[in-house]
Amino acid sequence: MSGSNPVPQPPTEPSGAARAASKPKRPKWLIPVIAGGCAVVLAAGGIGGYLYWNHDRLTAASEECATSYDKAVKARKKLTEYLKSDALKTAIRVKDSEVKDAKTVGTLASTVKASEKTKTTVPECPSGDRADIEAMTKKIDGLAAAYAKTVNEARGKADAVNASKTDKTVADATRILNDSKGRVKDDKVRAALENAIKSKDGKAISDAVKAVNDSIKAKSDADANARAEKEKQAADNAAQTSGNDSGSAGDTTGGYTGYTGGGYTQSQGGGYTYMPQQPTGNGGGYTPTPQPQQPSQGGGNGGSSGGDDGYYEDCWVGDTSGKPFVQVPCS
């Protein structure tokens, strides 16, 4: 169409031969230079990456060692605290005679002694060399495990002592319970002891045993007082009966019958000899002292002289007081 602008057409792509003819050629010396540059870049990147990786591993090892150190310090602290605890001290003070198995006491003592030697100082973590850090971490982990193990062993041995003590306490309390049957003032204390034994509570058992022993003593004292009172009453009754019997016998057998007087017997020589008469009677009384033979005034043993028929009689007079008799003429 005349008078109008023509529509522009897109450029025509040259053919392959034309492209090859038109592309500029690179010099041959440029190719090795480019290859060398790429190698340098790759080498620089590799060294930097290794350094970064090694630093990261070193940091991780240091952090791991620090964590192990804190763990070991805490384990050592727990061991120290337990070795100073009242629970362990109480178990250590238990005697062989207080437990059922005396071996537990000796085992605990040796364990505690060995535990004191394991409380070594935890070493610090090194710095710089990753291999040294990792080696120290293993050592610290071993110490932490040893501390924990020692605490568990010591606690286990103390528990064994306490358990053996409870076993003996229960056995002794059971024997007291059986032996106290019929011997207590109040049987309620035996029921309380039986319940305490079932609970295996050491303090409850101890309190219940004391109550039973107190009740046994109370009954024993009461029985003793009753026996003493009974014996005293029996003695009083016996004394009263004996007193009544003595009074009756005294009325029938006691007393003094008196003195009946003496007499004379003629001797072969012609005189007379005085023979005192002994008192009679079944009861008490007076027994006169035997009197010696008294000579007569006329000579001879008890002779007579004077008088109307050539002699007179001599008489002896006395009383019951025991004094010597007196010779007087017979009237």
Side-chain angles (χ1 to χ4, degrees), residues 36-58:
C38 291
V40 171
V41 173
L42 291 174
I47 294 174
Y50 172 78
L51 292 176
Y52 178 80
W53 172 82
N54 188 57
H55 176 74
D56 184 63
R57 290 290 303 276
L58 181 65

PDB file of all heavy atoms in Angstrom, residues 36-58:
ATOM      1  N   GLY A  36      44.385 -22.076  36.610  1.00  0.00           N
ATOM      2  CA  GLY A  36      45.154 -21.869  37.844  1.00  0.00           C
ATOM      3  C   GLY A  36      44.418 -21.011  38.837  1.00  0.00           C
ATOM      4  O   GLY A  36      44.444 -21.238  40.032  1.00  0.00           O
ATOM      5  N   GLY A  37      43.722 -20.005  38.339  1.00  0.00           N
ATOM      6  CA  GLY A  37      42.956 -19.136  39.245  1.00  0.00           C
ATOM      7  C   GLY A  37      41.865 -19.893  39.937  1.00  0.00           C
ATOM      8  O   GLY A  37      41.599 -19.703  41.125  1.00  0.00           O
ATOM      9  N   CYS A  38      41.215 -20.734  39.226  1.00  0.00           N
ATOM     10  CA  CYS A  38      40.137 -21.546  39.856  1.00  0.00           C
ATOM     11  C   CYS A  38      40.709 -22.456  40.936  1.00  0.00           C
ATOM     12  O   CYS A  38      40.113 -22.658  42.002  1.00  0.00           O
ATOM     13  CB  CYS A  38      39.444 -22.363  38.771  1.00  0.00           C
ATOM     14  SG  CYS A  38      38.492 -21.358  37.622  1.00  0.00           S
ATOM     15  N   ALA A  39      41.876 -23.022  40.741  1.00  0.00           N
ATOM     16  CA  ALA A  39      42.495 -23.906  41.725  1.00  0.00           C
ATOM     17  C   ALA A  39      42.846 -23.157  42.998  1.00  0.00           C
ATOM     18  O   ALA A  39      42.686 -23.659  44.114  1.00  0.00           O
ATOM     19  CB  ALA A  39      43.730 -24.551  41.127  1.00  0.00           C
ATOM     20  N   VAL A  40      43.337 -21.942  42.822  1.00  0.00           N
ATOM     21  CA  VAL A  40      43.679 -21.119  44.000  1.00  0.00           C
ATOM     22  C   VAL A  40      42.449 -20.819  44.823  1.00  0.00           C
ATOM     23  O   VAL A  40      42.457 -20.891  46.043  1.00  0.00           O
ATOM     24  CB  VAL A  40      44.383 -19.832  43.545  1.00  0.00           C
ATOM     25  CG1 VAL A  40      44.540 -18.882  44.702  1.00  0.00           C
ATOM     26  CG2 VAL A  40      45.739 -20.162  42.950  1.00  0.00           C
ATOM     27  N   VAL A  41      41.378 -20.485  44.137  1.00  0.00           N
ATOM     28  CA  VAL A  41      40.118 -20.177  44.846  1.00  0.00           C
ATOM     29  C   VAL A  41      39.628 -21.390  45.609  1.00  0.00           C
ATOM     30  O   VAL A  41      39.226 -21.319  46.765  1.00  0.00           O
ATOM     31  CB  VAL A  41      39.063 -19.676  43.852  1.00  0.00           C
ATOM     32  CG1 VAL A  41      37.722 -19.536  44.549  1.00  0.00           C
ATOM     33  CG2 VAL A  41      39.507 -18.350  43.258  1.00  0.00           C
ATOM     34  N   LEU A  42      39.672 -22.544  44.974  1.00  0.00           N
ATOM     35  CA  LEU A  42      39.223 -23.779  45.637  1.00  0.00           C
ATOM     36  C   LEU A  42      40.102 -24.116  46.829  1.00  0.00           C
ATOM     37  O   LEU A  42      39.634 -24.527  47.887  1.00  0.00           O
ATOM     38  CB  LEU A  42      39.221 -24.925  44.637  1.00  0.00           C
ATOM     39  CG  LEU A  42      38.159 -24.844  43.534  1.00  0.00           C
ATOM     40  CD1 LEU A  42      38.359 -25.978  42.524  1.00  0.00           C
ATOM     41  CD2 LEU A  42      36.770 -24.874  44.133  1.00  0.00           C
ATOM     42  N   ALA A  43      41.397 -23.966  46.758  1.00  0.00           N
ATOM     43  CA  ALA A  43      42.315 -24.260  47.841  1.00  0.00           C
ATOM     44  C   ALA A  43      42.058 -23.341  49.019  1.00  0.00           C
ATOM     45  O   ALA A  43      42.048 -23.772  50.190  1.00  0.00           O
ATOM     46  CB  ALA A  43      43.751 -24.157  47.370  1.00  0.00           C
ATOM     47  N   ALA A  44      41.885 -22.092  48.750  1.00  0.00           N
ATOM     48  CA  ALA A  44      41.631 -21.122  49.826  1.00  0.00           C
ATOM     49  C   ALA A  44      40.338 -21.454  50.544  1.00  0.00           C
ATOM     50  O   ALA A  44      40.233 -21.401  51.768  1.00  0.00           O
ATOM     51  CB  ALA A  44      41.596 -19.714  49.252  1.00  0.00           C
ATOM     52  N   GLY A  45      39.347 -21.842  49.810  1.00  0.00           N
ATOM     53  CA  GLY A  45      38.069 -22.207  50.428  1.00  0.00           C
ATOM     54  C   GLY A  45      38.185 -23.452  51.281  1.00  0.00           C
ATOM     55  O   GLY A  45      37.603 -23.575  52.352  1.00  0.00           O
ATOM     56  N   GLY A  46      38.973 -24.456  50.884  1.00  0.00           N
ATOM     57  CA  GLY A  46      39.139 -25.682  51.655  1.00  0.00           C
ATOM     58  C   GLY A  46      39.837 -25.454  52.972  1.00  0.00           C
ATOM     59  O   GLY A  46      39.467 -26.008  54.019  1.00  0.00           O
ATOM     60  N   ILE A  47      40.887 -24.680  53.003  1.00  0.00           N
ATOM     61  CA  ILE A  47      41.612 -24.386  54.242  1.00  0.00           C
ATOM     62  C   ILE A  47      40.729 -23.659  55.225  1.00  0.00           C
ATOM     63  O   ILE A  47      40.680 -23.973  56.416  1.00  0.00           O
ATOM     64  CB  ILE A  47      42.873 -23.561  53.926  1.00  0.00           C
ATOM     65  CG1 ILE A  47      43.851 -24.411  53.107  1.00  0.00           C
ATOM     66  CG2 ILE A  47      43.519 -23.085  55.213  1.00  0.00           C
ATOM     67  CD1 ILE A  47      45.052 -23.635  52.637  1.00  0.00           C
ATOM     68  N   GLY A  48      39.997 -22.686  54.743  1.00  0.00           N
ATOM     69  CA  GLY A  48      39.097 -21.945  55.634  1.00  0.00           C
ATOM     70  C   GLY A  48      38.026 -22.835  56.223  1.00  0.00           C
ATOM     71  O   GLY A  48      37.681 -22.740  57.403  1.00  0.00           O
ATOM     72  N   GLY A  49      37.492 -23.728  55.428  1.00  0.00           N
ATOM     73  CA  GLY A  49      36.458 -24.643  55.934  1.00  0.00           C
ATOM     74  C   GLY A  49      36.989 -25.589  56.990  1.00  0.00           C
ATOM     75  O   GLY A  49      36.331 -25.886  57.980  1.00  0.00           O
ATOM     76  N   TYR A  50      38.219 -26.059  56.782  1.00  0.00           N
ATOM     77  CA  TYR A  50      38.807 -26.974  57.767  1.00  0.00           C
ATOM     78  C   TYR A  50      39.047 -26.270  59.087  1.00  0.00           C
ATOM     79  O   TYR A  50      38.775 -26.828  60.163  1.00  0.00           O
ATOM     80  CB  TYR A  50      40.110 -27.533  57.212  1.00  0.00           C
ATOM     81  CG  TYR A  50      40.887 -28.328  58.244  1.00  0.00           C
ATOM     82  CD1 TYR A  50      40.525 -29.626  58.580  1.00  0.00           C
ATOM     83  CD2 TYR A  50      41.981 -27.738  58.874  1.00  0.00           C
ATOM     84  CE1 TYR A  50      41.226 -30.337  59.524  1.00  0.00           C
ATOM     85  CE2 TYR A  50      42.691 -28.446  59.826  1.00  0.00           C
ATOM     86  CZ  TYR A  50      42.312 -29.750  60.159  1.00  0.00           C
ATOM     87  OH  TYR A  50      43.006 -30.450  61.099  1.00  0.00           O
ATOM     88  N   LEU A  51      39.579 -25.058  58.982  1.00  0.00           N
ATOM     89  CA  LEU A  51      39.828 -24.303  60.205  1.00  0.00           C
ATOM     90  C   LEU A  51      38.527 -24.054  60.965  1.00  0.00           C
ATOM     91  O   LEU A  51      38.472 -24.156  62.197  1.00  0.00           O
ATOM     92  CB  LEU A  51      40.524 -22.980  59.870  1.00  0.00           C
ATOM     93  CG  LEU A  51      41.955 -23.103  59.331  1.00  0.00           C
ATOM     94  CD1 LEU A  51      42.489 -21.719  58.943  1.00  0.00           C
ATOM     95  CD2 LEU A  51      42.867 -23.763  60.361  1.00  0.00           C
ATOM     96  N   TYR A  52      37.495 -23.737  60.250  1.00  0.00           N
ATOM     97  CA  TYR A  52      36.207 -23.495  60.901  1.00  0.00           C
ATOM     98  C   TYR A  52      35.671 -24.779  61.557  1.00  0.00           C
ATOM     99  O   TYR A  52      35.173 -24.787  62.674  1.00  0.00           O
ATOM    100  CB  TYR A  52      35.195 -22.973  59.871  1.00  0.00           C
ATOM    101  CG  TYR A  52      33.820 -22.740  60.455  1.00  0.00           C
ATOM    102  CD1 TYR A  52      33.546 -21.582  61.173  1.00  0.00           C
ATOM    103  CD2 TYR A  52      32.814 -23.700  60.280  1.00  0.00           C
ATOM    104  CE1 TYR A  52      32.284 -21.380  61.712  1.00  0.00           C
ATOM    105  CE2 TYR A  52      31.560 -23.499  60.816  1.00  0.00           C
ATOM    106  CZ  TYR A  52      31.295 -22.337  61.537  1.00  0.00           C
ATOM    107  OH  TYR A  52      30.059 -22.138  62.074  1.00  0.00           O
ATOM    108  N   TRP A  53      35.812 -25.891  60.893  1.00  0.00           N
ATOM    109  CA  TRP A  53      35.332 -27.187  61.414  1.00  0.00           C
ATOM    110  C   TRP A  53      36.112 -27.588  62.663  1.00  0.00           C
ATOM    111  O   TRP A  53      35.558 -28.044  63.644  1.00  0.00           O
ATOM    112  CB  TRP A  53      35.484 -28.233  60.334  1.00  0.00           C
ATOM    113  CG  TRP A  53      35.200 -29.634  60.804  1.00  0.00           C
ATOM    114  CD1 TRP A  53      34.010 -30.228  60.931  1.00  0.00           C
ATOM    115  CD2 TRP A  53      36.177 -30.605  61.208  1.00  0.00           C
ATOM    116  NE1 TRP A  53      34.134 -31.505  61.379  1.00  0.00           N
ATOM    117  CE2 TRP A  53      35.475 -31.775  61.563  1.00  0.00           C
ATOM    118  CE3 TRP A  53      37.575 -30.592  61.271  1.00  0.00           C
ATOM    119  CZ2 TRP A  53      36.126 -32.930  61.991  1.00  0.00           C
ATOM    120  CZ3 TRP A  53      38.213 -31.742  61.696  1.00  0.00           C
ATOM    121  CH2 TRP A  53      37.484 -32.901  62.065  1.00  0.00           C
ATOM    122  N   ASN A  54      37.444 -27.369  62.614  1.00  0.00           N
ATOM    123  CA  ASN A  54      38.271 -27.726  63.761  1.00  0.00           C
ATOM    124  C   ASN A  54      37.950 -26.851  64.956  1.00  0.00           C
ATOM    125  O   ASN A  54      37.921 -27.328  66.108  1.00  0.00           O
ATOM    126  CB  ASN A  54      39.757 -27.582  63.379  1.00  0.00           C
ATOM    127  CG  ASN A  54      40.663 -28.126  64.462  1.00  0.00           C
ATOM    128  OD1 ASN A  54      40.546 -29.283  64.842  1.00  0.00           O
ATOM    129  ND2 ASN A  54      41.562 -27.276  64.952  1.00  0.00           N
ATOM    130  N   HIS A  55      37.706 -25.592  64.746  1.00  0.00           N
ATOM    131  CA  HIS A  55      37.350 -24.688  65.846  1.00  0.00           C
ATOM    132  C   HIS A  55      36.019 -25.092  66.465  1.00  0.00           C
ATOM    133  O   HIS A  55      35.853 -25.051  67.691  1.00  0.00           O
ATOM    134  CB  HIS A  55      37.282 -23.252  65.304  1.00  0.00           C
ATOM    135  CG  HIS A  55      36.820 -22.271  66.343  1.00  0.00           C
ATOM    136  ND1 HIS A  55      37.620 -21.838  67.386  1.00  0.00           N
ATOM    137  CD2 HIS A  55      35.611 -21.634  66.504  1.00  0.00           C
ATOM    138  CE1 HIS A  55      36.945 -20.997  68.132  1.00  0.00           C
ATOM    139  NE2 HIS A  55      35.715 -20.843  67.618  1.00  0.00           N
ATOM    140  N   ASP A  56      35.118 -25.488  65.634  1.00  0.00           N
ATOM    141  CA  ASP A  56      33.803 -25.906  66.138  1.00  0.00           C
ATOM    142  C   ASP A  56      33.932 -27.170  67.008  1.00  0.00           C
ATOM    143  O   ASP A  56      33.314 -27.280  68.063  1.00  0.00           O
ATOM    144  CB  ASP A  56      32.865 -26.168  64.967  1.00  0.00           C
ATOM    145  CG  ASP A  56      31.464 -26.502  65.430  1.00  0.00           C
ATOM    146  OD1 ASP A  56      30.825 -25.631  66.053  1.00  0.00           O
ATOM    147  OD2 ASP A  56      31.006 -27.649  65.182  1.00  0.00           O
ATOM    148  N   ARG A  57      34.769 -28.124  66.590  1.00  0.00           N
ATOM    149  CA  ARG A  57      34.976 -29.333  67.377  1.00  0.00           C
ATOM    150  C   ARG A  57      35.661 -29.017  68.697  1.00  0.00           C
ATOM    151  O   ARG A  57      35.352 -29.608  69.742  1.00  0.00           O
ATOM    152  CB  ARG A  57      35.836 -30.325  66.574  1.00  0.00           C
ATOM    153  CG  ARG A  57      35.143 -30.938  65.366  1.00  0.00           C
ATOM    154  CD  ARG A  57      34.048 -31.895  65.796  1.00  0.00           C
ATOM    155  NE  ARG A  57      34.525 -32.945  66.647  1.00  0.00           N
ATOM    156  CZ  ARG A  57      35.073 -34.076  66.210  1.00  0.00           C
ATOM    157  NH1 ARG A  57      35.173 -34.296  64.899  1.00  0.00           N
ATOM    158  NH2 ARG A  57      35.470 -34.997  67.068  1.00  0.00           N
ATOM    159  N   LEU A  58      36.591 -28.123  68.713  1.00  0.00           N
ATOM    160  CA  LEU A  58      37.296 -27.724  69.936  1.00  0.00           C
ATOM    161  C   LEU A  58      36.340 -27.070  70.928  1.00  0.00           C
ATOM    162  O   LEU A  58      36.388 -27.347  72.134  1.00  0.00           O
ATOM    163  CB  LEU A  58      38.436 -26.769  69.585  1.00  0.00           C
ATOM    164  CG  LEU A  58      39.295 -26.286  70.765  1.00  0.00           C
ATOM    165  CD1 LEU A  58      40.032 -27.464  71.383  1.00  0.00           C
ATOM    166  CD2 LEU A  58      40.300 -25.224  70.287  1.00  0.00           C
TER     167      LEU A  58
END
